[in-house]
Amino acid sequence: MVLEATMICIDNSEWMRNGDYSPTRFQAQSEAVSLLCGAKTQSNPENTVGVLAMAGKGVRVLVTPTTDLGKILACMHGLEMGGELNLSAGIQVAQLALKHRQNKNQQQRIIIFPGGPVKYDKKVLESIGKKLKKNSVALDIVDFGEEDDEKAEKLEALHAAVNNGNSHIVHVPPESNALCDVLLTTPIFTGDGEGGSAFAASAAAAAAGGAGGYEFGVDPNLDPELALALRASMEEERARQEAAARAAEEKGGGQASSSHDAIMTENSGVMSHGADTVDLMVGLMLSICSIL
């Protein structure tokens, strides 16, 4: 089993709000990252995983490399989206975080999820790739989101510059059913070892509809802690979505009620005005009759 320290660089730019991956790019990315974190931490008990955000208010480390899967999964909840993807700074900060890993025997790996446009020139990315290769840092690239030939060309150049036989790149088009489903069959998920981790094999079997398909691809009898962490993460996200839906319904209901009240008030005013007119006409008729 490979002993690794991994930094996963996620894209939380404004482009992640798009719904070309169900339900959104960011949610699809979050599910894929959760599966990757599970595969990495389960393949070797001494493996560590950290998560870094490449957009928003700036590149920042959400969690330093750790073996605590619960902490890793929780770090993305409530993460704000906005700004542009800063791929270069993200990779450099990830490399710095790996440099300060506690166990120097761990191999270094960075996994990036560029979902928005890549603004850097090809030469800049090639320079970054060569630096990673020099420092023995492997790089996996999950290209999703924007279907742009120029973007794909830049990322291919980055991969070619860093690849020392242990780096990978995969392009995931929007028409794919799910981002994590595509990753299940790639070396990014299964690893370079023969057969990959038991977690990866279990998840792949579940995705393929095998007889042993468990929720989230994890057998709770073999790994109850991981199954519980994934279930808690999914329930928390589901509760958040339901709360948001209820708030939207209440807001819509309040607006409808206000509109209804306004209409009723207007109708009452019209009816009152009509009643006053009738009373005036009756009074006038009575006055005429008395004169006659």
Side-chain angles (χ1 to χ4, degrees), residues 3-269:
L3 179 61
E4 275 189 337
T6 304
M7 282 297 297
I8 299 180
C9 303
I10 63 175
D11 187 348
N12 60 318
S13 65
E14 193 68 30
W15 300 85
M16 293 302 98
R17 301 182 189 275
N18 290 9
D20 46 359
Y21 296 81
S22 179
T24 64
R25 289 184 185 179
F26 185 78
Q27 185 60 34
Q29 176 185 217
S30 297
E31 293 173 358
V33 169
S34 297
L35 282 175
L36 280 175
C37 291
K40 294 295 182 182
T41 55
Q42 295 305 302
S43 63
N44 191 312
E46 296 185 28
N47 278 357
T48 57
V49 180
V51 181
L52 176 150
M54 297 187 291
K57 296 180 180 179
V59 175
R60 57 194 176 104
V61 177
L62 302 178
V63 59
T64 54
T66 177
T67 57
D68 188 345
L69 182 60
K71 184 184 295 185
I72 299 169
L73 297 178
C75 73
M76 290 184 294
H77 288 296
L79 182 63
E80 295 181 359
M81 288 178 281
E84 296 183 352
L85 171 67
N86 194 338
L87 187 62
S88 174
I91 294 176
Q92 293 179 35
V93 173
Q95 184 181 0
L96 186 62
L98 291 175
K99 183 178 180 181
H100 291 88
R101 66 195 185 283
Q102 293 182 349
N103 188 351
K104 300 301 181 181
N105 292 324
Q106 293 173 320
Q107 297 182 21
Q108 304 172 79
R109 181 175 297 276
I110 297 174
I111 303 176
I112 60 175
F113 282 81
V118 177
K119 63 181 180 179
Y120 294 96
D121 293 332
K122 191 194 308 185
K123 292 183 178 180
V124 175
L125 296 177
E126 288 177 342
S127 176
I128 294 173
K130 291 177 181 178
K131 184 177 180 181
L132 292 176
K133 185 176 182 179
K134 180 180 179 181
N135 291 290
S136 301
V137 181
L139 178 69
D140 291 335
I141 305 171
V142 182
D143 175 24
F144 74 111
E146 299 302 303
E147 281 194 298
D148 184 2
D149 292 338
E150 184 179 357
K151 175 189 175 185
E153 184 179 348
K154 291 178 180 179
L155 294 176
E156 289 286 354
L158 172 61
H159 173 253
V162 70
N163 191 22
N164 196 22
N166 58 351
S167 298
H168 314 91
I169 184 171
V170 58
H171 303 281
V172 186
E175 58 266 18
S176 303
N177 293 329
L179 189 57
C180 54
D181 290 343
V182 175
L183 291 180
L184 286 173
T185 58
T186 66
I188 295 177
F189 185 80
T190 59
D192 290 313
E194 296 181 1
S197 68
F199 177 91
S202 175
Y214 298 97
E215 186 180 19
F216 311 116
V218 182
D219 185 352
N221 298 316
L222 297 178
D223 199 335
E225 293 182 0
L226 176 59
L228 181 61
L230 289 173
R231 188 177 297 108
S233 176
M234 186 62 69
E235 289 177 354
E236 181 180 343
E237 178 62 21
R238 188 180 294 114
R240 184 191 66 78
Q241 293 179 358
E242 291 176 354
R246 284 197 300 270
E249 290 178 0
E250 291 175 0
K251 183 177 180 182
Q255 291 176 348
S257 177
S258 299
S259 300
H260 178 70
D261 292 343
I263 293 172
M264 291 297 293
T265 302
E266 182 180 353
N267 289 341
S268 299

